[in-house]
Amino acid sequence: MKYHYFILFCFFNSFLYSQTKKNTDSVIYYNKLVKSNLNNKKYDQAVFYTKKSIHFCEANHESESLANQTFKLGKIYYNQKKYEEALKSFHKSISLFSTLKPTCTKVLALHYIGTTNTAKGDYKTAEIYYKKADDLLKELKIVDQAQVLNYQKAIALKTNKDLPLAAKTFLEITKKPDNPSLSKTKTNSYYQLGLIETQLKRNDSAIIYFDNALDYSNKNNDLKQKSKIILAISKYYKQNKNFDLAYSYLDEHYQIENYILKLKNAKLDFNEFQKFKKNQSLNNTIKRESEEKIQLKTYRYSKLVSILAIALISILSLLSLALYKNNIIRNQNNLFLREKNKELILAKNKAEKASKARSEFLSTVSHELRTPLNAINGITHLLLEDNPKKTQLKYLESLKFSGNYLTTFINEILEINKIDSTKVEIENITFNLKELLFNIQSSLKELATANKNYFNLEIDKAIPDNLIGDPTKISQIILNLINNALKFTQNGNVNVIAKLYAITEENATVYFEIVDTGIGIPEDKLQTVFESFSQGSIEVNRKYGGTGLGLTIVKKLIELLGGEIKLKSEVGKGSTFTFKLDFKINKEPLEAVEEKKPYNDNQLKHKSILLIEDNKINQMITRKMLENKAISCEIIDNGEDAVELLKIKRFDMILMDVHLPGINGTTATKLIREFDKTTPIIALTAISLDENRDMLLSYGMNDVITKPFVPDEFYSTIAKFFD
């Protein structure tokens, strides 16, 4: 707010100074029209009337007014993010000011050139004009406003999503010595730092900055500013699942807003009373003067007493009426707050139930999906090691790629709550995007053939071979979009395009486009298709299947990677999904290096392992994988028999399935540890590793292997106990 007061002061000070009696009405008339259109968001009309005002000033040779109006035009363009037009107007304004005595508006024009260049990303040019603005402030001896301009500069950096530099600028403002003129600016700076830290997921820092902002707000006694900060703190606690504190701060926010409303209503009532009192007093005076002319002096005093009595009664009546109205307003607001409190409690309970239901759902689905996927990945691995024919190798490699991706994909779906809670980590490794896209095309050719679709892949040769990014998440995005295109298209075309959008020495921007000629999406569904468990309609869901999570994950992953997905679609003609992603370029060539196994086969030879597993397919796969490394394997399908066998026979290692008929794997482990403290026991589980590892280790297990097995990780985990 202080920044806006400074702008108004500077602009109108220079503006009013420059107007003559001859042209004031015309310029003021245009300014009123501009203000009205800006309030109604009619920006084209606001530009039109500002230009009319500029032409008027040119015709009447009003140089300073012309400079002020040209600056105003630049501000309108700036607020519309039309940065090129804004720069033209600001530079023209500076040119006009160059022949005049320096004013505050010229300072603002120089500063706005800096913020406009900041918004365009040209920080070098921006700094030149920021320095010019600071120098002119010193020349005008109003240096106490420098931090207000620095605050606006930081806001421009934040708008340009340069959060580190914006945070640095806000932090510099907060370190300035306290003084009354800087207090509100420091409060707003702490508030903005809290928002930035929240956006960067640095929760500890965020709440510290919000608390500092709240402390300064209490000193300023600015209720609107305090209400805004408290609402931000409430949202912070809500995002961090602390619903009690979130509710407490939200309740305080509503109390402050209620108090502000009371002050506003009280002010309105007092103004109405003053107006009425003035009119009443005037009427009584006229009446008294009229009666004094026709009545004797003896009646004059009695009339005066009567008039005063009537006035007193009127005042008391009005005060009673005002108190009655305020009481009604207070009751209405209290009722509104109680209703909102009930809504918040209901919403909190629903959120807790939904969170519990989702956790139970993920736990059940995790086991049901990972167990068969373990068979797919395990059999594929065994077939690849069994010297397949060359004609079969290509298909097995595609199957391995799809299985490995599906493992990662299922993990992401089952832990979608990680995305929502911002716990997902983004990899930054070197990979070949072209090779990745070719592999994806190969894995989906069968689906394209089944739906009789022409599946075309266009890759720009100019895309660098060595990009740095997260290939797993990019695979998940592309696979989801292509899979949808192929699924919802019959006898049509699906085109996947990857083009180099922009490139520098260190960075490259790639533009992706997935186009199909399928059933399309109705216009009223274009936004909801990105919501969880949402598809075009119930009929589409029944006909084509699917969970409705694919586009939700795609949208969230693209946003995590710094992009934005756009969708165009028409029913019966198809859909087009587009997005751009930024990558760093690895200048060193990507060499094909044969991966080294993290273990030695000699570590595993001639070891004896007891496998406790009830699933026949998993028994077959695990036994074969162990025997391929010259390990002898004995199998038992329940926990009770395993405990009895281990009392009379020793093994080098025990592989224990967690879910067994009868006693489960954890109970069996506790019983074994009563008489055998040394034999390594490794848990085999199809449930999420992150949620259960510590619990499983607490039962006496030495390590955990999550199904489906990744062969090298499977062997490595076993081998580390045979050093």
Side-chain angles (χ1 to χ4, degrees), residues 51-213:
K51 288 182 177 179
K52 292 275 287 184
S53 179
I54 289 172
H55 294 325
F56 178 85
C57 293
E58 288 175 340
N60 289 274
H61 306 293
E62 293 292 335
S63 300
E64 189 165 355
S65 296
L66 178 60
N68 289 329
Q69 295 300 312
T70 305
F71 167 70
K72 179 187 281 187
L73 180 61
K75 271 187 62 182
I76 296 172
Y77 282 136
Y78 175 81
N79 291 331
Q80 289 182 274
K81 297 185 178 180
K82 296 180 178 179
Y83 298 131
E84 295 300 332
E85 291 88 339
L87 283 174
K88 290 179 183 178
S89 296
F90 290 143
H91 280 294
K92 185 176 179 181
S93 176
I94 293 299
S95 177
L96 293 167
F97 275 122
S98 64
T99 61
L100 302 169
K101 183 180 178 181
T103 65
C104 295
T105 311
K106 184 176 180 181
V107 175
L108 291 174
L110 290 167
H111 186 75
Y112 262 98
I113 293 175
T115 57
T116 306
N117 279 290
T118 298
K120 291 179 64 182
D122 187 355
Y123 296 161
K124 185 175 180 181
T125 303
E127 285 300 327
I128 294 173
Y129 284 93
Y130 287 142
K131 188 176 185 308
K132 289 183 178 181
D134 290 339
D135 292 343
L136 188 53
L137 276 176
K138 294 175 182 176
E139 182 181 338
L140 294 173
K141 297 181 179 179
I142 49 175
V143 292
D144 58 325
Q145 297 297 332
Q147 298 309 318
V148 179
L149 296 183
N150 280 340
Y151 175 81
Q152 182 65 9
K153 170 185 173 182
I155 290 292
L157 289 167
K158 182 186 172 191
T159 302
N160 195 41
K161 297 184 178 179
D162 193 339
L163 300 184
L165 192 53
K168 180 181 178 183
T169 308
F170 284 128
L171 201 57
E172 289 175 356
I173 296 173
T174 62
K175 292 180 179 178
K176 296 295 180 182
D178 287 345
N179 65 71
S181 65
L182 188 58
S183 182
K184 287 187 177 180
T185 305
K186 290 184 72 171
T187 305
N188 287 329
S189 297
Y190 277 121
Y191 170 71
Q192 293 293 339
L193 282 167
L195 294 179
I196 291 173
E197 293 298 297
T198 301
Q199 191 171 349
L200 294 175
K201 317 306 178 188
R202 295 198 285 256
N203 294 332
D204 293 340
S205 301
I207 193 61
I208 291 172
Y209 288 130
F210 282 139
D211 287 341
N212 287 339

Side-chain angles (χ1 to χ4, degrees), residues 174 189 214 316 368:
T174 62
S189 297
L214 192 58
L316 292 173
E368 296 303 321

